[in-house]
Amino acid sequence: MASVPSLASTVQQRLADALSAALPEAGSADPLLRRSDRADFQANGILALAKRLKGNPRELATKVVEFVPADDVLREIEVSGPGFLNITVSDEAIAETLAARAADDRLGVPFADTAGTTVIDYAQPNVAKEMHVGHLRSAVIGDAMVRILEFTGEKVVRRHHIGDWGTQFGMLIQFLIEHPHELDHKDEAAVSGEEAMSNLNRLYKASRALFDSDEDFKERARRRVVDLQSGDEETLALWQRFVDESKIYFYSVFNKLDMEIHDPDVVGESGYNHMLDETCRILEESGVAVRSEGALCVFFDDVKGPDGKPVPLIVRKSNGGYGYAATDLSAIRDRVQNLGADNLIYVVDARQSLHFKMVFETARRAGWLNDEVKAVQLAFGTVLGKDGKPFKTREGETVRLVDLLDEAIERAAAVVREKAQDLSEEEIAERGAQVGIGAVKYADLSTSASRDYKFDLDQMVSLNGDTSVYLQYAYARIQSILRKAGDAKPQAHAEIGLTPSERALGLHIDRFGETVEEAASSYEPHKLAAYLYQLASLYTTFYSECPVLKADTPAQVENRLFLCDLTARTLHQGMALLGIRTPARL
């Protein structure tokens, strides 16, 4: 089905046409339409226009109103103040637009005009290391952006750039050669993420202790790095065991986060090894990179250290080793040339902003990025504890991500158990996971990514305030009403007048498509979260002011059930785009 134009866009178009007709000298002017508490919408674009045309804004506004055609959408337009237009749309227009949205599986949300291919780099854990709270935001924000972009018709290629290469593997592999049973499993068929991680942890600690205390082992481990980098088969096979063991653990964490991670999307640092040499050669031959004190570097006018001297991006070190930059630049080449990307999004901690600024600028100079092919860092802030400091355990350690998620699920299950009327223990456990993980995701996604946020589980699983639990309960409440409706069916009746709270809810539902579009084009999932919270709040007001099943007439019952049903579908779709489940019973 075709997308449904929102009432805001229809009104915007009518006013723009009226502006052009009334004031041909103005060219195509923007009426600057926005939602208003005085009427449904307010347009204040005439003020700026009057300044430009040196006219009286109230007179111009009055003239424009004469050119707005009388039709079934606009009920009233009045000139107010110095030249604002206050616009009220008709109840019939609201009902008909919502009916058109309800008739469509996509709720009338359009596909983007300019859909292309986006490669999104997110959820980047390190092999043989535990995931901690710092890994949470990249995964949650990235997953939401994938879902939002795919919904708008974008072809999205996921990339998980895991840390799976480097000198520490010499130490780990050498230790495994000398202690061959350290990664064995009790039962190959049922290896848990916990077991895999405890194997890796134990091996990492033991090999590190040996490396620090035994010079001969240290020397053997360093030789093993050379074997790894030169592609020795036995060494690579052992390295692969570490990668595979780590994936068992990663996938168990992502599974708990209710995220799908597929093997082909996991392309770690090692995936670009074969390109590093060529990347350096291209950069040097094109003059983008130059040799400085034996290293291959790229310099920038605006990047200087504390001493005022230029800080270069080091692509290859003076000892011939490659830095992160060589890998990141090779990944850009691969994503643009082999995957055909138009957009590259990197969901990476804000503390790496300077590195990515330099990498992107280097790629532009090399011609891999340009006006058609863009890269952007979706930089995120830090997760803080309740005390406003970076989140640590009481002992000052970084918090294990699994512990955090388990605690959220436990807290949520307690909330569900307290409210549950007819749920079995099994259902309470399942809903507890959906509510707990939803709470963690929503707390992250309802904050602008670039800001730090406080990880406060009491707040996150609260039934009141801007939390996913509030939204999930609003959805479950609607489902309960729809179950009780008996023979009455949700149906829009355009001829029935709407109360103020019905109008407010209807006009907000109508903005869903615009909100999704905005969240997708600006890479800001928090805009969708804010929309959904407002939707649930407006629904709560409507529900408290307008009896649904006990409305005055059968037609009014159907009309209100229709508003309930469309609110629920919008909540369900919007939450799904954030990666959050909406259970039908809570």
Side-chain angles (χ1 to χ4, degrees):
M1 178 176 156
S3 65
V4 177
S6 69
L7 287 167
S9 63
T10 304
V11 172
Q12 167 91 6
Q13 192 55 55
R14 302 274 158 92
L15 290 180
D17 293 346
L19 269 170
S20 303
L23 310 163
E25 66 275 24
S28 60
D30 186 350
L32 296 178
L33 193 72
R34 58 186 180 82
R35 286 282 281 123
S36 163
D37 47 10
R38 301 271 166 92
D40 294 335
F41 301 100
Q42 187 174 70
N44 50 20
I46 292 172
L47 299 181
L49 196 59
K51 208 169 184 180
R52 204 175 85 210
L53 299 176
K54 300 189 172 41
N56 174 321
R58 252 194 99 88
E59 283 172 17
L60 289 183
T62 311
K63 190 174 173 188
V64 169
V65 171
E66 288 166 15
F67 280 86
V68 177
D71 63 16
D72 51 358
V73 174
L74 301 173
R75 191 170 81 197
E76 191 183 347
I77 302 188
E78 59 161 21
V79 177
S80 100
F84 299 125
L85 295 181
N86 284 339
I87 299 130
T88 305
V89 295
S90 69
D91 289 353
E92 294 79 16
I94 295 175
E96 281 162 15
T97 301
L98 294 183
R101 289 198 180 288
D104 178 34
D105 287 345
R106 291 175 53 82
L107 302 170
V109 178
F111 286 105
D113 299 335
T114 53
T117 298
T118 294
V119 175
I120 178 160
D121 186 327
Y122 68 107
Q124 309 105 345
N126 294 312
V127 165
K129 288 197 183 151
E130 230 170 332
M131 291 174 73
H132 54 77
V133 65
H135 290 112
L136 179 66
R137 298 205 73 186
S138 174
V140 169
I141 295 166
D143 183 59
M145 277 320 310
V146 167
R147 292 163 185 268
I148 290 168
L149 288 168
E150 284 186 335
F151 191 66
T152 64
E154 187 76 3
K155 179 187 172 194
V156 179
V157 181
R158 303 158 168 82
R159 275 293 172 267
H160 308 293
H161 190 94
I162 62 171
D164 66 353
W165 203 246
T167 49
Q168 78 273 19
F169 284 101
M171 175 182 90
L172 293 168
I173 292 166
Q174 190 59 37
F175 190 86
L176 190 60
I177 288 172
E178 297 173 18
H179 304 80
H181 297 297
E182 285 297 306
L183 285 183
D184 293 354
H185 299 132
K186 293 195 281 285
D187 172 5
E188 283 299 335
V191 189
S192 69
E194 262 325 287
E195 186 193 336
M197 195 62 239
S198 76
N199 272 350
L200 290 163
N201 264 340
R202 193 180 59 249
L203 197 148
Y204 189 87
K205 283 179 183 148
S207 63
R208 183 87 238 177
L210 198 57
F211 186 86
D212 291 342
S213 63
D214 181 335
E215 282 304 316
D216 291 344
F217 176 75
K218 187 180 273 190
E219 187 45 45
R220 292 196 297 279
R222 287 190 168 143
R223 283 203 301 272
R224 189 58 62 183
V225 177
V226 178
D227 293 341
L228 177 65
Q229 291 178 336
S230 59
D232 169 64
E233 277 189 27
E234 184 206 8
T235 307
L236 277 176
L238 289 163
W239 167 80
Q240 189 62 48
R241 283 192 68 187
F242 283 97
V243 175
D244 292 343
E245 191 78 5
S246 300
K247 279 184 178 175
I248 295 172
Y249 162 69
F250 295 158
Y251 291 177
S252 75
V253 179
F254 289 125
N255 196 30
K256 190 165 280 196
L257 268 168
D258 199 12
M259 284 181 193
E260 281 190 12
I261 301 263
H262 302 289
D263 243 11
D265 304 333
V266 180
V267 184
E269 294 166 304
S270 62
Y272 307 100
N273 283 346
H274 64 289
M275 299 174 73
L276 302 180
D277 197 37
E278 192 183 14
T279 296
C280 291
R281 200 191 75 237
I282 295 169
L283 291 172
E284 191 170 10
E285 284 175 3
S286 61
V288 173
V290 293
R291 286 180 191 259
S292 170
E293 297 174 27
L296 187 62
C297 303
V298 183
F299 288 92
F300 308 86
D301 295 339
D302 59 344
V303 182
K304 295 185 172 64
D307 56 1
K309 290 186 178 159
V311 177
L313 182 69
I314 299 172
V315 186
R316 191 171 55 223
K317 300 169 195 168
S318 53
N319 67 1
Y322 299 103
Y324 288 129
T327 309
D328 287 333
L329 288 161
S330 299
I332 289 177
R333 277 178 59 212
D334 176 58
R335 291 164 185 188
V336 172
Q337 293 164 1
N338 299 330
L339 300 177
D342 308 297
N343 297 294
L344 304 175
I345 305 176
Y346 291 78
V347 188
V348 184
D349 192 314
R351 286 171 290 199
Q352 295 191 44
S353 294
L354 180 60
H355 169 77
F356 278 99
K357 179 183 167 188
M358 292 159 83
V359 165
F360 295 162
E361 177 55 32
T362 301
R364 267 192 287 277
R365 291 179 190 177
W368 303 325
L369 296 176
N370 50 45
D371 291 344
E372 274 68 61
V373 184
K374 297 183 176 65
V376 60
Q377 182 192 357
L378 207 175
F380 56 82
T382 308
V383 180
L384 307 173
K386 280 189 193 180
D387 57 3
K389 297 184 179 131
F391 204 8
K392 295 266 193 285
T393 63
R394 284 202 186 90
E395 297 73 44
E397 304 281 313
T398 43
V399 180
R400 295 171 68 219
L401 184 51
V402 175
D403 293 344
L404 209 63
L405 300 179
D406 285 343
E407 195 185 340
I409 291 169
E410 206 177 300
R411 292 282 193 89
V415 171
V416 173
R417 178 174 283 110
E418 202 179 302
K419 297 275 288 186
Q421 277 138 22
D422 53 355
L423 296 180
S424 67
E425 274 304 307
E426 199 181 329
E427 286 171 321
I428 288 173
E430 182 202 30
R431 307 292 199 281
Q434 295 179 349
V435 172
I437 296 301
V440 170
K441 288 183 178 180
Y442 186 84
D444 193 321
L445 294 168
S446 57
T447 310
S448 164
S450 58
R451 287 176 47 196
D452 300 343
Y453 83 98
K454 281 187 188 169
F455 196 94
D456 179 349
L457 274 175
D458 294 328
Q459 173 60 42
M460 287 180 190
V461 299
S462 164
L463 291 165
N464 304 314
D466 188 0
T467 66
S468 67
V469 192
Y470 175 67
L471 302 180
Q472 286 169 320
Y473 268 98
Y475 178 79
R477 182 198 285 158
I478 297 173
Q479 294 307 320
S480 165
I481 293 168
L482 294 171
R483 284 194 297 272
K484 287 178 192 154
D487 295 338
K489 292 277 175 283
Q491 199 178 337
H493 290 278
E495 71 285 356
I496 294 181
L498 299 174
T499 67
S501 57
E502 288 175 308
R503 288 179 63 84
L505 178 60
L507 285 166
H508 190 70
I509 293 172
D510 189 42
R511 285 185 47 215
F512 181 57
E514 286 167 10
T515 307
V516 171
E517 229 171 323
E518 205 180 321
S521 60
S522 61
Y523 307 139
E524 291 181 302
H526 72 274
K527 291 188 169 166
L528 178 56
Y531 168 89
L532 294 170
Y533 173 59
Q534 205 183 343
L535 177 63
S537 304
L538 288 166
Y539 177 79
T540 303
T541 306
F542 153 77
Y543 180 72
S544 65
E545 291 179 5
C546 303
V548 177
L549 300 176
K550 293 185 175 161
D552 296 340
T553 65
Q556 199 171 42
V557 171
E558 290 178 349
N559 210 43
R560 286 180 181 170
L561 280 173
F562 167 78
L563 276 176
C564 288
D565 186 47
L566 190 53
T567 300
R569 285 176 58 194
T570 307
L571 272 173
H572 174 76
Q573 180 62 72
M575 292 285 264
L577 293 179
L578 297 178
I580 300 174
R581 303 217 176 238
T582 39
R585 286 174 193 267
L586 271 177

